[in-house]
Amino acid sequence: MGGYSSKTKLPASIIKQRNATRKRISTGPGEILQEERIHEGGILLYNFDINDSKLKPEHLPILNELAEWSLSDERISIAIEGHASQTGNESDNLILSDDRAQAVHDYLVFNQFANQQQIIDAYGLGSADPIVDNKKIEENLNRSVYVRYSIPVISTSPPASVPTSGTNKWQIKIKSQAGVGLFVGGGVLGGTIRSADPLYVAEKNGYLAAGIAGFDLQGASASIWGGWVDFQTDDIYTIDDFDGTFGIVSTREFSLGIGYQSARLSFPNLGAYNIDIGGLQLGIPGASVAGMYGFWKVQ
């Protein structure tokens, strides 16, 4: 999750704690059946206030669902990693990120009665392992907590070491317009994902349904454009692996007076980050898209 910043370095004790925790997430709760494999995923809770560890209102429904889901199967494992932006003093950032991780832990355990034994650990990584490596601004994706989870599932595909289908080379094209796939207040971003590997031919339409987060669109009209954009995932996946995966859209605004922003899409669970999906043109001065996150749905 993220890359190491050249500016900071984690203490050896934190590195050891992080590596041990991630290994336990990857290996699962112990004994698993021969026909099972460990499925890993994650949820990003971002946009904490600057220098604050208090949970935001939009975080709570996500944590409520996570707690309810974890209680449905005692073999679900959870690890909570706090992050801080790459500005400010790193020792303070390490404390702040740990406070954010503990806030998520305490809410799950004391407010939603999640099983303490399923939470492997909760710790802060400061700004040394950023979600987005950007030292120039207060990046709201780095003011966050990443909740890792794993669960044994029945394997329906061959082992990853002998793949018969799938690829890590992909292309995406965003093609929604207001009134079609991008709705004021609704937070829906549509497009097409296809394989860029000639040995694996697959293409499906989909959309990012962002009803669980703050998506702020103002203006009478809006359109998103851009051609096919190449990106890679961190492992071999099929087109159907995108269905239900977590997605994040972040924006960078340019002062053109008419609300132009460049947009980047990330699929953290599949190891694909900062896909430049083109420009977003809003119809009136002052219109804005603050960012969105949700789950990509294959159509």
Side-chain angles (χ1 to χ4, degrees), residues 2 6 8 24 88 129-130 177 217 220 222 270 272 296:
S6 60
T8 58
R24 288 185 61 188
D129 195 2
Q177 291 184 340
L217 173 60
L270 304 182
W296 185 266

Side-chain angles (χ1 to χ4, degrees), residues 23 56 60 79 84 94 102 134 137 141 186 207 229 233 244 249 254 258-259 264 272 280 292:
K23 183 177 180 180
K56 306 281 282 188
L60 304 186
L94 194 58
Q102 293 302 322
N134 190 341
I137 65 169
L141 292 179
Y207 61 92
V229 179
T233 51
V249 174
F254 296 89
I258 53 175
R264 298 180 301 174
L280 180 60
M292 58 187 285

Side-chain angles (χ1 to χ4, degrees), residues 20 49 64 96 106 113 129 143 152 184-185 197-198 221 227 256 261:
D49 287 339
N64 294 345
L96 177 60
D106 291 349
F113 306 106
D129 195 2
R143 303 196 308 269
V184 175
D197 187 340
S221 63
L256 300 183
Q261 302 189 12

Side-chain angles (χ1 to χ4, degrees), residues 120-173:
I120 297 173
D121 209 345
Y123 51 89
L125 296 173
S127 60
D129 195 2
I131 306 299
V132 177
D133 198 354
N134 190 341
K135 308 177 188 69
K136 296 181 180 180
I137 65 169
E138 271 285 343
E139 174 60 67
N140 66 349
L141 292 179
N142 289 336
R143 303 196 308 269
S144 60
V145 171
Y146 189 65
V147 182
R148 297 177 180 271
Y149 63 81
S150 66
I151 181 175
V153 297
I154 300 297
S155 179
T156 57
S157 59
S161 58
V162 286
T164 58
S165 63
T167 182
N168 67 337
K169 299 177 182 179
W170 302 93
Q171 292 181 322
I172 187 169
K173 184 177 183 180

Side-chain angles (χ1 to χ4, degrees), residues 115 175 266:
N115 187 349
K175 56 184 180 180
S266 297

